[in-house]
Short mmCIF file of all heavy atoms in Angstrom, two decimals:
data_model
loop_
_atom_site.label_atom_id
_atom_site.label_comp_id
_atom_site.label_asym_id
_atom_site.label_seq_id
_atom_site.Cartn_x
_atom_site.Cartn_y
_atom_site.Cartn_z
N GLY C 1425 -10.29 -0.47 -2.65
CA GLY C 1425 -9.04 -0.66 -3.40
C GLY C 1425 -8.43 0.66 -3.83
O GLY C 1425 -7.22 0.75 -4.04
N GLY C 1426 -9.26 1.70 -4.00
CA GLY C 1426 -8.74 3.02 -4.29
C GLY C 1426 -8.01 3.59 -3.09
O GLY C 1426 -6.99 4.27 -3.24
N LEU C 1427 -8.52 3.31 -1.89
CA LEU C 1427 -7.78 3.67 -0.67
C LEU C 1427 -6.44 2.94 -0.65
O LEU C 1427 -5.40 3.52 -0.28
CB LEU C 1427 -8.61 3.32 0.56
CG LEU C 1427 -7.91 3.41 1.91
CD1 LEU C 1427 -7.41 4.83 2.17
CD2 LEU C 1427 -8.86 2.95 3.03
N LEU C 1428 -6.46 1.67 -1.02
CA LEU C 1428 -5.21 0.90 -1.11
C LEU C 1428 -4.21 1.59 -2.03
O LEU C 1428 -3.01 1.70 -1.71
CB LEU C 1428 -5.54 -0.51 -1.62
CG LEU C 1428 -4.38 -1.44 -1.94
CD1 LEU C 1428 -3.56 -1.75 -0.69
CD2 LEU C 1428 -4.91 -2.74 -2.57
N MET C 1429 -4.68 2.09 -3.17
CA MET C 1429 -3.79 2.80 -4.09
C MET C 1429 -3.27 4.09 -3.46
O MET C 1429 -2.10 4.46 -3.63
CB MET C 1429 -4.51 3.11 -5.41
CG MET C 1429 -4.92 1.88 -6.22
SD MET C 1429 -3.55 0.81 -6.66
CE MET C 1429 -3.77 -0.52 -5.46
N GLY C 1430 -4.14 4.80 -2.71
CA GLY C 1430 -3.70 6.00 -2.04
C GLY C 1430 -2.61 5.73 -1.02
O GLY C 1430 -1.66 6.53 -0.88
N VAL C 1431 -2.70 4.60 -0.33
CA VAL C 1431 -1.68 4.24 0.66
C VAL C 1431 -0.40 3.82 -0.06
O VAL C 1431 0.71 4.12 0.40
CB VAL C 1431 -2.18 3.14 1.59
CG1 VAL C 1431 -1.08 2.70 2.56
CG2 VAL C 1431 -3.40 3.62 2.38
N MET C 1432 -0.52 3.11 -1.19
CA MET C 1432 0.68 2.76 -1.94
C MET C 1432 1.39 4.03 -2.43
O MET C 1432 2.62 4.13 -2.41
CB MET C 1432 0.32 1.86 -3.13
CG MET C 1432 -0.16 0.47 -2.74
SD MET C 1432 1.02 -0.49 -1.75
CE MET C 1432 0.20 -0.44 -0.14
N LEU C 1433 0.61 5.02 -2.86
CA LEU C 1433 1.17 6.28 -3.34
C LEU C 1433 1.97 6.97 -2.25
O LEU C 1433 3.11 7.41 -2.47
CB LEU C 1433 0.04 7.20 -3.81
CG LEU C 1433 0.45 8.58 -4.30
CD1 LEU C 1433 1.04 8.51 -5.69
CD2 LEU C 1433 -0.75 9.53 -4.26
N THR C 1434 1.40 7.06 -1.06
CA THR C 1434 2.00 7.87 0.00
C THR C 1434 2.92 7.07 0.93
O THR C 1434 3.78 7.65 1.59
CB THR C 1434 0.90 8.53 0.84
OG1 THR C 1434 0.00 7.51 1.34
CG2 THR C 1434 0.11 9.52 0.01
N GLY C 1435 2.72 5.75 1.01
CA GLY C 1435 3.50 4.95 1.91
C GLY C 1435 4.56 4.08 1.27
O GLY C 1435 5.56 3.72 1.92
N TYR C 1436 4.33 3.70 -0.01
CA TYR C 1436 5.24 2.77 -0.68
C TYR C 1436 5.53 3.24 -2.11
O TYR C 1436 5.51 2.44 -3.06
CB TYR C 1436 4.64 1.37 -0.72
CG TYR C 1436 4.32 0.79 0.65
CD1 TYR C 1436 3.08 1.04 1.25
CD2 TYR C 1436 5.22 -0.01 1.33
CE1 TYR C 1436 2.77 0.52 2.51
CE2 TYR C 1436 4.93 -0.54 2.57
CZ TYR C 1436 3.69 -0.27 3.16
OH TYR C 1436 3.39 -0.80 4.38
N PRO C 1437 5.81 4.51 -2.32
CA PRO C 1437 5.96 5.01 -3.71
C PRO C 1437 7.11 4.38 -4.47
O PRO C 1437 7.08 4.32 -5.71
CB PRO C 1437 6.17 6.51 -3.50
CG PRO C 1437 6.75 6.64 -2.13
CD PRO C 1437 6.08 5.56 -1.33
N GLU C 1438 8.13 3.92 -3.75
CA GLU C 1438 9.30 3.34 -4.42
C GLU C 1438 9.02 2.00 -5.08
O GLU C 1438 9.82 1.54 -5.93
CB GLU C 1438 10.44 3.19 -3.41
CG GLU C 1438 10.28 2.04 -2.42
CD GLU C 1438 9.30 2.32 -1.27
OE1 GLU C 1438 8.74 3.46 -1.23
OE2 GLU C 1438 9.10 1.43 -0.44
N LEU C 1439 7.89 1.37 -4.76
CA LEU C 1439 7.59 0.04 -5.28
C LEU C 1439 6.94 0.07 -6.66
O LEU C 1439 6.91 -0.97 -7.35
CB LEU C 1439 6.68 -0.72 -4.32
CG LEU C 1439 7.22 -0.98 -2.91
CD1 LEU C 1439 6.22 -1.78 -2.10
CD2 LEU C 1439 8.56 -1.72 -2.98
N PHE C 1440 6.41 1.22 -7.08
CA PHE C 1440 5.59 1.27 -8.29
C PHE C 1440 6.02 2.41 -9.20
O PHE C 1440 6.49 3.46 -8.76
CB PHE C 1440 4.12 1.47 -7.92
CG PHE C 1440 3.58 0.43 -6.99
CD1 PHE C 1440 3.57 0.66 -5.62
CD2 PHE C 1440 3.09 -0.77 -7.47
CE1 PHE C 1440 3.08 -0.30 -4.75
CE2 PHE C 1440 2.60 -1.73 -6.62
CZ PHE C 1440 2.59 -1.51 -5.24
N ALA C 1441 5.80 2.18 -10.49
CA ALA C 1441 6.02 3.24 -11.48
C ALA C 1441 4.71 3.94 -11.83
O ALA C 1441 4.75 5.07 -12.34
CB ALA C 1441 6.65 2.66 -12.74
N ALA C 1442 3.57 3.29 -11.58
CA ALA C 1442 2.28 3.90 -11.94
C ALA C 1442 1.17 3.30 -11.08
O ALA C 1442 1.25 2.12 -10.68
CB ALA C 1442 1.97 3.68 -13.42
N LEU C 1443 0.15 4.10 -10.81
CA LEU C 1443 -1.01 3.66 -10.04
C LEU C 1443 -2.27 4.17 -10.71
O LEU C 1443 -2.33 5.32 -11.17
CB LEU C 1443 -0.95 4.19 -8.61
CG LEU C 1443 0.24 3.76 -7.75
CD1 LEU C 1443 0.28 4.57 -6.46
CD2 LEU C 1443 0.14 2.26 -7.43
N VAL C 1444 -3.29 3.31 -10.74
CA VAL C 1444 -4.62 3.71 -11.21
C VAL C 1444 -5.55 3.62 -10.01
O VAL C 1444 -5.81 2.55 -9.48
CB VAL C 1444 -5.13 2.80 -12.35
CG1 VAL C 1444 -6.55 3.19 -12.74
CG2 VAL C 1444 -4.20 2.89 -13.55
N CYS C 1445 -6.05 4.77 -9.58
CA CYS C 1445 -6.80 4.92 -8.33
C CYS C 1445 -8.24 5.31 -8.70
O CYS C 1445 -8.48 6.42 -9.17
CB CYS C 1445 -6.12 5.98 -7.48
SG CYS C 1445 -6.89 6.32 -5.90
N GLN C 1446 -9.20 4.40 -8.47
CA GLN C 1446 -10.56 4.58 -8.97
C GLN C 1446 -11.57 4.69 -7.82
O GLN C 1446 -11.50 3.95 -6.84
CB GLN C 1446 -10.93 3.40 -9.88
CG GLN C 1446 -10.00 3.29 -11.09
CD GLN C 1446 -10.14 2.00 -11.85
OE1 GLN C 1446 -10.08 0.91 -11.28
NE2 GLN C 1446 -10.34 2.09 -13.15
N VAL C 1447 -12.53 5.64 -7.96
CA VAL C 1447 -13.57 5.93 -6.96
C VAL C 1447 -13.05 5.70 -5.54
O VAL C 1447 -13.61 4.92 -4.76
CB VAL C 1447 -14.87 5.14 -7.23
CG1 VAL C 1447 -15.55 5.66 -8.48
CG2 VAL C 1447 -14.63 3.63 -7.36
N PRO C 1448 -11.99 6.41 -5.15
CA PRO C 1448 -11.28 6.04 -3.93
C PRO C 1448 -11.80 6.74 -2.67
O PRO C 1448 -12.39 7.83 -2.72
CB PRO C 1448 -9.86 6.53 -4.22
CG PRO C 1448 -10.08 7.78 -5.02
CD PRO C 1448 -11.28 7.48 -5.90
N LEU C 1449 -11.54 6.13 -1.53
CA LEU C 1449 -11.50 6.82 -0.25
C LEU C 1449 -10.08 7.36 -0.09
O LEU C 1449 -9.11 6.62 -0.31
CB LEU C 1449 -11.82 5.85 0.89
CG LEU C 1449 -13.25 5.39 1.01
CD1 LEU C 1449 -13.32 3.89 1.17
CD2 LEU C 1449 -13.91 6.07 2.20
N ILE C 1450 -9.94 8.62 0.32
CA ILE C 1450 -8.64 9.24 0.42
C ILE C 1450 -8.49 10.02 1.74
O ILE C 1450 -7.52 9.86 2.46
CB ILE C 1450 -8.35 10.17 -0.77
CG1 ILE C 1450 -8.24 9.33 -2.06
CG2 ILE C 1450 -7.10 10.99 -0.54
CD1 ILE C 1450 -7.04 8.41 -2.12
N ASP C 1451 -9.48 10.86 2.03
CA ASP C 1451 -9.42 11.67 3.24
C ASP C 1451 -10.09 10.91 4.36
O ASP C 1451 -11.29 11.02 4.61
CB ASP C 1451 -10.13 13.01 3.01
CG ASP C 1451 -10.03 13.93 4.23
OD1 ASP C 1451 -9.50 13.50 5.26
OD2 ASP C 1451 -10.51 15.08 4.13
N MET C 1452 -9.30 10.13 5.11
CA MET C 1452 -9.85 9.28 6.16
C MET C 1452 -10.14 10.07 7.45
O MET C 1452 -10.68 9.52 8.39
CB MET C 1452 -8.91 8.11 6.43
CG MET C 1452 -8.71 7.21 5.21
SD MET C 1452 -10.26 6.57 4.53
CE MET C 1452 -10.70 5.39 5.82
N ARG C 1453 -9.81 11.36 7.43
CA ARG C 1453 -10.19 12.21 8.55
C ARG C 1453 -11.66 12.60 8.46
O ARG C 1453 -12.31 12.84 9.48
CB ARG C 1453 -9.31 13.48 8.59
CG ARG C 1453 -9.58 14.39 9.79
CD ARG C 1453 -9.17 13.68 11.08
NE ARG C 1453 -9.45 14.46 12.27
CZ ARG C 1453 -10.62 14.44 12.93
NH1 ARG C 1453 -11.63 13.74 12.46
NH2 ARG C 1453 -10.79 15.14 14.01
N ARG C 1454 -12.18 12.65 7.23
CA ARG C 1454 -13.56 13.10 7.02
C ARG C 1454 -14.45 12.06 6.34
O ARG C 1454 -15.61 12.35 6.04
CB ARG C 1454 -13.55 14.39 6.18
CG ARG C 1454 -13.05 15.61 6.90
CD ARG C 1454 -13.05 16.85 6.00
NE ARG C 1454 -14.32 17.08 5.33
CZ ARG C 1454 -15.40 17.60 5.92
NH1 ARG C 1454 -15.36 17.95 7.20
NH2 ARG C 1454 -16.50 17.81 5.23
N TYR C 1455 -13.96 10.87 6.08
CA TYR C 1455 -14.73 9.91 5.30
C TYR C 1455 -16.08 9.60 5.93
O TYR C 1455 -17.09 9.36 5.24
CB TYR C 1455 -13.93 8.61 5.10
CG TYR C 1455 -14.03 7.63 6.25
CD1 TYR C 1455 -15.00 6.64 6.25
CD2 TYR C 1455 -13.17 7.71 7.35
CE1 TYR C 1455 -15.10 5.75 7.31
CE2 TYR C 1455 -13.27 6.83 8.41
CZ TYR C 1455 -14.25 5.85 8.39
OH TYR C 1455 -14.36 4.97 9.43
N HIS C 1456 -16.14 9.60 7.26
CA HIS C 1456 -17.37 9.22 7.97
C HIS C 1456 -18.42 10.32 7.91
O HIS C 1456 -19.57 10.10 8.29
CB HIS C 1456 -17.04 8.91 9.42
CG HIS C 1456 -16.48 10.06 10.20
ND1 HIS C 1456 -15.46 10.84 9.73
CD2 HIS C 1456 -16.81 10.56 11.42
CE1 HIS C 1456 -15.16 11.78 10.63
NE2 HIS C 1456 -15.97 11.64 11.65
N LEU C 1457 -18.06 11.49 7.39
CA LEU C 1457 -19.00 12.61 7.27
C LEU C 1457 -19.55 12.74 5.86
O LEU C 1457 -20.41 13.59 5.62
CB LEU C 1457 -18.29 13.92 7.65
CG LEU C 1457 -17.63 13.96 9.03
CD1 LEU C 1457 -16.89 15.28 9.23
CD2 LEU C 1457 -18.66 13.74 10.13
N LEU C 1458 -19.07 11.92 4.94
CA LEU C 1458 -19.39 12.05 3.52
C LEU C 1458 -20.22 10.87 3.04
O LEU C 1458 -19.76 9.73 3.07
CB LEU C 1458 -18.11 12.17 2.70
CG LEU C 1458 -17.17 13.33 3.08
CD1 LEU C 1458 -15.88 13.24 2.28
CD2 LEU C 1458 -17.86 14.66 2.86
N LEU C 1459 -21.46 11.14 2.60
CA LEU C 1459 -22.36 10.14 2.02
C LEU C 1459 -22.47 8.91 2.92
O LEU C 1459 -22.82 9.04 4.09
CB LEU C 1459 -21.88 9.79 0.60
CG LEU C 1459 -21.90 10.97 -0.39
CD1 LEU C 1459 -21.32 10.55 -1.74
CD2 LEU C 1459 -23.32 11.50 -0.57
N ALA C 1460 -22.17 7.71 2.40
CA ALA C 1460 -22.36 6.48 3.18
C ALA C 1460 -21.17 6.18 4.10
O ALA C 1460 -21.14 5.10 4.72
CB ALA C 1460 -22.58 5.30 2.23
N GLY C 1461 -20.25 7.10 4.22
CA GLY C 1461 -19.01 6.82 4.96
C GLY C 1461 -19.21 6.37 6.38
O GLY C 1461 -18.45 5.53 6.88
N ALA C 1462 -20.22 6.90 7.07
CA ALA C 1462 -20.42 6.52 8.48
C ALA C 1462 -20.66 5.03 8.64
O ALA C 1462 -20.36 4.46 9.70
CB ALA C 1462 -21.60 7.31 9.06
N SER C 1463 -21.18 4.38 7.60
CA SER C 1463 -21.47 2.95 7.71
C SER C 1463 -20.21 2.10 7.73
O SER C 1463 -20.28 0.91 8.05
CB SER C 1463 -22.36 2.51 6.54
OG SER C 1463 -21.69 2.63 5.30
N TRP C 1464 -19.05 2.68 7.41
CA TRP C 1464 -17.82 1.89 7.32
C TRP C 1464 -16.93 2.06 8.53
O TRP C 1464 -15.77 1.60 8.52
CB TRP C 1464 -17.04 2.28 6.05
CG TRP C 1464 -17.89 2.23 4.82
CD1 TRP C 1464 -18.83 1.29 4.50
CD2 TRP C 1464 -17.88 3.17 3.75
NE1 TRP C 1464 -19.42 1.60 3.30
CE2 TRP C 1464 -18.86 2.74 2.81
CE3 TRP C 1464 -17.16 4.33 3.49
CZ2 TRP C 1464 -19.12 3.44 1.63
CZ3 TRP C 1464 -17.41 5.03 2.31
CH2 TRP C 1464 -18.38 4.58 1.40
N MET C 1465 -17.40 2.71 9.58
CA MET C 1465 -16.54 2.90 10.75
C MET C 1465 -16.17 1.59 11.41
O MET C 1465 -15.14 1.51 12.09
CB MET C 1465 -17.19 3.87 11.73
CG MET C 1465 -17.16 5.32 11.25
SD MET C 1465 -17.54 6.53 12.52
CE MET C 1465 -19.27 6.22 12.78
N ALA C 1466 -17.00 0.55 11.25
CA ALA C 1466 -16.63 -0.76 11.80
C ALA C 1466 -15.44 -1.37 11.06
O ALA C 1466 -14.73 -2.23 11.58
CB ALA C 1466 -17.81 -1.72 11.75
N GLU C 1467 -15.20 -0.92 9.84
CA GLU C 1467 -14.06 -1.39 9.05
C GLU C 1467 -12.80 -0.59 9.35
O GLU C 1467 -11.74 -1.15 9.61
CB GLU C 1467 -14.38 -1.30 7.55
CG GLU C 1467 -13.26 -1.75 6.64
CD GLU C 1467 -13.19 -3.26 6.45
OE1 GLU C 1467 -14.04 -3.97 6.97
OE2 GLU C 1467 -12.25 -3.72 5.76
N TYR C 1468 -12.94 0.74 9.35
CA TYR C 1468 -11.76 1.59 9.44
C TYR C 1468 -11.55 2.21 10.83
O TYR C 1468 -10.41 2.49 11.20
CB TYR C 1468 -11.87 2.73 8.43
CG TYR C 1468 -12.05 2.29 7.01
CD1 TYR C 1468 -13.20 2.62 6.28
CD2 TYR C 1468 -11.07 1.54 6.37
CE1 TYR C 1468 -13.36 2.23 4.97
CE2 TYR C 1468 -11.23 1.14 5.05
CZ TYR C 1468 -12.37 1.49 4.35
OH TYR C 1468 -12.53 1.09 3.05
N GLY C 1469 -12.63 2.47 11.56
CA GLY C 1469 -12.52 3.17 12.83
C GLY C 1469 -13.19 4.53 12.76
O GLY C 1469 -13.60 5.00 11.69
N ASP C 1470 -13.28 5.18 13.91
CA ASP C 1470 -13.94 6.48 14.03
C ASP C 1470 -12.88 7.57 14.13
O ASP C 1470 -12.18 7.68 15.16
CB ASP C 1470 -14.84 6.48 15.28
CG ASP C 1470 -15.57 7.80 15.47
OD1 ASP C 1470 -15.36 8.73 14.66
OD2 ASP C 1470 -16.36 7.88 16.43
#
C-alpha cells in the first residue's frame, strides 16, 4: 500500500491534497535486490 501511495504521488497528484506513505516499496528498479524483495517478483515482475 506504500507503493500504491508512491504511485498516487507520481502518477495522480492532482487527485489528493495529502498522502501518508508507510514502510513503502518505492524503487522498483532495485526492490528485488533488497532484503526479501526477490520473493515478490511473481507479484511485480523482474
Side-chain angles (χ1 to χ4, degrees):
L1427 171 60
L1428 173 64
M1429 295 302 103
V1431 176
M1432 292 302 108
L1433 178 78
T1434 55
Y1436 302 87
E1438 74 282 359
L1439 298 182
F1440 303 95
L1443 298 170
V1444 177
C1445 180
Q1446 299 168 308
V1447 290
L1449 288 131
I1450 293 293
D1451 183 356
M1452 299 304 288
R1453 184 66 183 87
R1454 289 179 50 78
Y1455 84 92
H1456 62 312
L1457 305 176
L1458 303 174
L1459 297 175
S1463 66
W1464 309 320
M1465 287 194 290
E1467 179 81 4
Y1468 304 118
D1470 181 358

